[in-house]
Amino acid sequence: MLQSYLTGQATSALATYQVEVLKREFKSFTGLIEESMNAFKEKVKADIRMKDLTSNGSVVYTRWGKKTCPSGAELVFSGFAGGSWYGDQGAAVDPLCLPRDPEWGIYKDGRDGDKAYVYGAEYQTFSYNVPPGVHDHDVPCAVCLVRNRSVTKMFAARKNCYKGWKLEYRGYLMAGYYNYVAGSMYTCVDGNPDTLQGGHANKNGKLFYPVEARCGSLKCPPYVEGRELVCVVCSRK
């Protein structure tokens, strides 16, 4: 009887031990499953974030002639339009949007040596007032960021965007005077331009002139001899 009792007790203890071992193994297994599921969830979230970044990106453009960005665009910074001197033979052709808070690296003050130069910019609209009321005023600029877009494009000779494109701003096509030595780029300057305070003086620098059509190889119609050209800057997803 005693032997049977002891044998039963041993069997019960062994069963209890085996159950505890199984519980621990099951808990360890479920822990591994939970850890794997959490890693999978994080990977899915990361993939979704990456997809959002690649499919719904952002683009940056410069709004020439304005201190602010259009509605729906985020201002990166508001600055001063600038570039090379209008008559320099080695002038850079592209305009710059220079920040109001410049930073410096290694430098030596004073004009010396063989270097390139950067000047401020002025509107050159004279009596023809295109755009109106800004002749000899200094030109501001704004760098703008627009989200959920993949591309921006300036369209010359248009005041409306093509189908599928969103208007960022519209204005007048401007460039350097045709008879100057320096090259220039066609630039879309806002049609309702701002000016920089204290900048109404004929100091020249980078100059923005209206652009007009000349018939010949340029087909007239649809273009018209001597008519100033407009422009739009548009974005698209």
Side-chain angles (χ1 to χ4, degrees), residues 121-124 135-138 196 198-204 207:
E122 292 182 357
Y123 302 106
Q124 294 292 291
H135 177 60
D136 273 346
H137 280 276
D138 295 342
L196 294 174
H200 187 199
N202 185 23
K203 295 182 178 179
N204 294 318
L207 302 181

Side-chain angles (χ1 to χ4, degrees), residues 127-144:
S127 59
Y128 32 80
N129 274 342
V130 181
V134 293
H135 177 60
D136 273 346
H137 280 276
D138 295 342
V139 182
C141 56
V143 174
C144 307

